[in-house]
Amino acid sequence: MRPSVVVNVAMSADGKLSTRERRQVKISGADDFSRADRLKADCDAVMVGIGTVLADDPSLTVKNPDYKRERQRSGKPEHPARVVIDSRARIPLDAAVLRKGEGVRVVAVSGRADPDRVRALGAMATVIVAGETEVDLGRVLDELGAMGIRRLMVEGGGTLIAGLIRAGLVDEIFTFVGDIIIGGKDAPTPADGPGWIREAEFTRLVLADVSRVDDGVLLHWTVKPQ
């Protein structure tokens, strides 16, 4: 059984995740950080793409001590499993996601990944080989489901999110829209890559909720079945 997938993103008012240099930008504030931390604590795993790891070096850990204690009291690890999509096994072996905090790590690679890098990663994480040249996201979700992961939070970046949407694997999207304009035609968006041309290919959403958070707005969408 594949896990349900919830995407969580913070973007500027003009739809950018960061600058064209992929430099991390503070878009939301304390209330939205807390909400995202709560969401993370309620999930079994959190996933990012290799671009996010290389740009931001996130640990993907739960920050609030109360949330961590709640997870432990319910028999769960302190942190959800952390999953990185990395077709060529480029993740640095000293990356925070591999080193910081206890818990399960998973790195999904493709068949073109360097075997020596894959072996080195195998000492630090569960390595899933899925796909010949690019990671097969459906197969990865099948593997995660077999590991007992039922709800998966995706935090970026835009290439991974677009791939999951294209494969019809996303169930919910939380979008925080902040009060800044970043600009730039090459700045990353929540759904990067070639995009879609025909309206029949567009993913349709249902607005489940909208609320003001910090100095922005939070939109909660569910994805219409394709």
Side-chain angles (χ1 to χ4, degrees), residues 43-66:
C43 289
D44 302 306
V46 56
M47 174 187 285
V48 295
I50 183 58
T52 298
V53 173
L54 295 177
D56 302 336
D57 194 26
S59 67
L60 306 181
T61 54
V62 175
K63 304 300 188 292
N64 189 306
D66 292 335

Side-chain angles (χ1 to χ4, degrees), residues 14-43:
D14 60 325
K16 308 298 184 180
L17 300 181
S18 65
T19 68
R20 66 177 184 272
E21 300 169 330
R22 267 46 180 184
R23 178 174 52 84
Q24 189 176 27
V25 176
K26 183 180 178 182
I27 296 175
S28 60
D31 289 345
D32 190 60
F33 281 127
S34 179
R35 175 201 62 81
D37 201 37
R38 172 78 270 178
L39 178 61
K40 186 179 298 177
D42 289 341
C43 289

Side-chain angles (χ1 to χ4, degrees), residues 158-177:
T159 300
L160 172 60
I161 294 170
L164 290 165
I165 291 172
R166 185 175 295 107
L169 299 172
V170 176
D171 299 290
E172 299 175 76
I173 302 174
F174 285 93
T175 307
F176 176 85
V177 184

Side-chain angles (χ1 to χ4, degrees), residues 42-114:
D42 289 341
C43 289
D44 302 306
V46 56
M47 174 187 285
V48 295
I50 183 58
T52 298
V53 173
L54 295 177
D56 302 336
D57 194 26
S59 67
L60 306 181
T61 54
V62 175
K63 304 300 188 292
N64 189 306
D66 292 335
Y67 300 163
K68 289 190 280 189
R69 283 192 288 267
E70 286 177 16
R71 287 181 57 87
Q72 290 176 317
R73 282 196 295 267
S74 64
K76 298 178 181 178
E78 195 174 60
H79 305 289
R82 281 153 282 171
V83 184
V84 178
I85 304 300
D86 182 11
S87 61
R88 289 181 286 160
R90 292 185 293 153
I91 184 171
L93 297 181
D94 62 351
V97 70
L98 297 176
R99 299 282 186 178
K100 188 173 181 180
E102 298 295 327
V104 174
R105 277 88 165 176
V106 177
V107 179
V109 303
S110 72
R112 66 171 172 160
D114 181 85

Side-chain angles (χ1 to χ4, degrees), residues 111-176:
R112 66 171 172 160
D114 181 85
D116 291 335
R117 294 281 302 168
V118 171
R119 279 191 291 272
L121 284 171
M124 309 177 71
T126 298
V127 178
I128 297 173
V129 181
E132 294 183 6
T133 60
E134 301 295 334
V135 173
D136 183 326
L137 296 172
R139 284 174 57 188
V140 172
L141 261 61
D142 287 339
E143 294 282 351
L144 295 178
M147 294 170 61
I149 292 170
R150 294 293 172 258
R151 194 173 193 217
L152 170 67
M153 176 183 182
V154 177
E155 288 203 307
T159 300
L160 172 60
I161 294 170
L164 290 165
I165 291 172
R166 185 175 295 107
L169 299 172
V170 176
D171 299 290
E172 299 175 76
I173 302 174
F174 285 93
T175 307
F176 176 85

